Amino acid sequence: NCDHTDRSKVEHIECNGGLKVVEDLTAEQCRNFIYNNQPSIWTGRRHYASLRSMFNFAVTYNKAKTNPFSIFAKPTKTKAVQEQKQRGRDADWFNEEDVMVYVDSLPTKSFKQRSFRRMVLVLWFVGLRSGEMRHLRLNDIDWSTSLISVHPSTGCVCHKKNGFPIKNEKSIRRAPMFEACAQLIKEHIKDKNKQTAVIKNSPFLFSSNKGNV
């Protein structure tokens, strides 16, 4: 029952010569990673679920012999809630300084590199999910009201009716675009218009070299 994201993760590891390393992982190493090397218990729970699912896929299709994450349990929700109360709800979030340190470290030589840097900033400014941002079209931006329309598109199985990578029907919304974000998007569009005809004429704000997402 593993989905396409599990397959892509396994294929990525395989293409980069990592399956031998994966096979050598012990349950104790994996448990130590989940329980002792995470910024919070909530993050450990998310990583546990993702990795266990990925390994299930790997075992099913003979990419790995065993699933070390099936030998130990996920960190409990009760402990996660207790930790959250002690540390504060935003303890596991990036703050502005964290984001800017990362952004400032990104290369900007090529258009692709500059696009990625702007994508990170748009995610931060607007609070979009990565799938929502990748599917943004130029005509989703209302300059007169400074709002960005986030609506159904194609390309993901998360929203079965329309195929849009949003969490649920209520996530279809209009997001505010503040001045810093507006200037960033204008800068990106100007840069986009200097690229190849395929990129320049793409309806997507952040298109690939082929003009799609």
Side-chain angles (χ1 to χ4, degrees), residues 7-175:
R7 181 170 59 219
S8 66
K9 291 173 187 174
V10 173
E11 289 175 347
H12 175 75
I13 293 174
E14 186 175 30
C15 290
N16 287 278
L19 280 180
K20 181 63 170 63
V21 176
V22 168
E23 290 176 352
D24 291 340
L25 285 174
T26 65
E28 185 58 33
Q29 288 173 317
C30 294
R31 189 184 188 284
N32 183 60
F33 171 71
I34 294 298
Y35 278 83
N36 302 319
N37 290 281
Q38 302 294 324
S40 74
I41 297 176
W42 283 117
T43 301
R45 284 172 57 83
R46 290 194 295 270
H47 285 171
Y48 175 91
S50 178
L51 288 166
R52 178 164 177 160
S53 178
M54 186 193 79
F55 270 91
N56 279 339
F57 182 92
V59 171
T60 300
Y61 290 91
N62 299 315
K63 301 293 185 179
K65 293 180 181 179
T66 60
N67 183 351
F69 289 88
S70 65
I71 299 174
F72 64 94
K74 179 193 293 188
T76 66
K77 184 176 181 180
T78 300
K79 289 184 177 180
V81 171
Q82 290 174 347
E83 180 192 65
Q84 188 178 64
K85 289 180 180 179
Q86 294 172 352
R87 298 173 58 184
R89 185 171 181 81
D90 63 349
D92 195 21
W93 296 2
F94 286 116
N95 58 35
E96 184 175 357
E97 183 180 356
D98 294 330
V99 174
M100 295 315 299
V101 167
Y102 174 64
V103 168
D104 289 342
S105 72
L106 295 173
T108 58
K109 185 176 181 180
S110 68
F111 174 70
K112 186 175 181 179
Q113 291 171 339
R114 294 191 296 276
S115 292
F116 179 74
R117 181 180 184 277
R118 293 166 187 146
M119 288 169 75
V120 172
L121 286 170
V122 170
L123 282 173
W124 171 251
F125 286 139
V126 185
L128 300 178
R129 300 180 181 90
S130 60
E132 292 174 337
M133 181 197 60
R134 287 187 294 106
H135 286 82
L136 281 179
R137 295 171 180 262
L138 293 170
N139 59 11
D140 289 333
I141 303 170
D142 188 337
W143 296 104
S144 64
T145 60
S146 294
L147 291 172
I148 298 177
S149 296
V150 184
H151 57 77
S153 184
T154 58
C156 183
V157 298
C158 304
H159 189 295
K160 294 183 179 180
K161 182 178 179 181
N162 297 295
F164 184 66
I166 56 178
K167 202 167 184 178
N168 52 55
E169 191 90 34
K170 294 181 180 179
S171 293
I172 302 171
R173 64 197 188 282
R174 303 190 81 190

